[in-house]
């Protein structure tokens, strides 16, 4: 399965729905270019929806960290939504659960980005 992403907005938060294999190459570049374009358009709050990501490798994990770092350095916010069990296991194994805010419900992720009360999963 190839990689695809769609963006949508809810209450000023950009939701990036990712699907397919997130690995070295085009998928990493697609996310990076999309996020950079959105930041240039003045977007500041991001939720990356990983629910339909069927596979993620070390390059994909590295890009999540790079995207998070880049956004944080620009005064933006980013969280993750609905990682699959395999992705959750990789995030846990690599200790990235201490870096990312990870949510299992979209409303929680949006509320956290907009400053409303929300509880992480």
């Amino acid at each position: 399965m190839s990689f695809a992403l769609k963006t949508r907005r809810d209450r000023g938060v950009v939701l990036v729905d990712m699907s397919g294999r997130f690995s070295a190459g085009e998928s990493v570049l697609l996310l990076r270019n999309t996020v950079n374009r959105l930041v240039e358009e003045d977007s500041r709050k991001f939720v990356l929806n990983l629910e339909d990501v069927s596979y993620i490798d070390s390059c994909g994990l590295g890009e999540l960290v790079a995207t998070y770092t880049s956004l944080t350095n620009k005064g933006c916010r980013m969280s993750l939504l609905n990682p699959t069990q395999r992705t959750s296991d990789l995030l846990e194994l690599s200790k990235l659960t201490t870096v990312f805010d990870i949510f299992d419900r979209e409303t929680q992720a949006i509320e956290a980005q907009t400053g409303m009360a929300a509880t992480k999963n």
Side-chain angles (χ1 to χ4, degrees), residues 61-75:
L61 285 177
E63 185 58 31
L64 292 179
V65 173
T67 299
Y68 175 84
T69 302
S70 175
L71 288 171
T72 300
N73 289 340
K74 294 174 182 175

Side-chain angles (χ1 to χ4, degrees), residues 5-115:
L5 62 81
K6 295 187 301 186
T7 60
R8 54 193 170 94
R9 295 178 189 271
D10 188 337
R11 292 176 264 172
V13 177
V14 176
L15 292 112
V16 181
D17 297 319
M18 302 166 57
S19 63
R21 296 176 57 88
F22 187 51
S23 57
E26 290 182 30
S27 59
V28 165
L29 292 174
L30 181 59
L31 178 63
R32 184 179 307 157
N33 292 338
T34 299
V35 169
N36 286 339
R37 178 182 48 79
L38 290 164
V39 169
E40 287 175 9
E41 295 172 1
D42 211 27
S43 296
R44 296 288 177 254
K45 300 171 187 170
F46 294 84
V47 173
L48 303 186
N49 183 359
L50 305 175
E51 182 175 25
D52 293 326
V53 172
S54 60
Y55 174 82
I56 188 167
D57 68 2
S58 60
C59 289
L61 285 177
E63 185 58 31
L64 292 179
V65 173
T67 299
Y68 175 84
T69 302
S70 175
L71 288 171
T72 300
N73 289 340
K74 294 174 182 175
C76 302
R77 299 178 66 188
M78 182 188 108
S79 57
L80 303 179
L81 174 64
N82 291 325
T84 63
Q85 186 60 53
R86 182 179 187 282
T87 300
S88 291
D89 292 346
L90 289 172
L91 292 168
E92 185 70 38
L93 183 66
S94 60
K95 305 289 188 220
L96 290 174
T97 54
T98 63
V99 174
F100 297 115
D101 288 330
I102 303 170
F103 298 91
D104 58 3
R105 290 199 309 261
E106 188 172 301
T107 54
Q108 288 177 321
I110 292 169
E111 288 169 356
Q113 291 293 325
T114 59

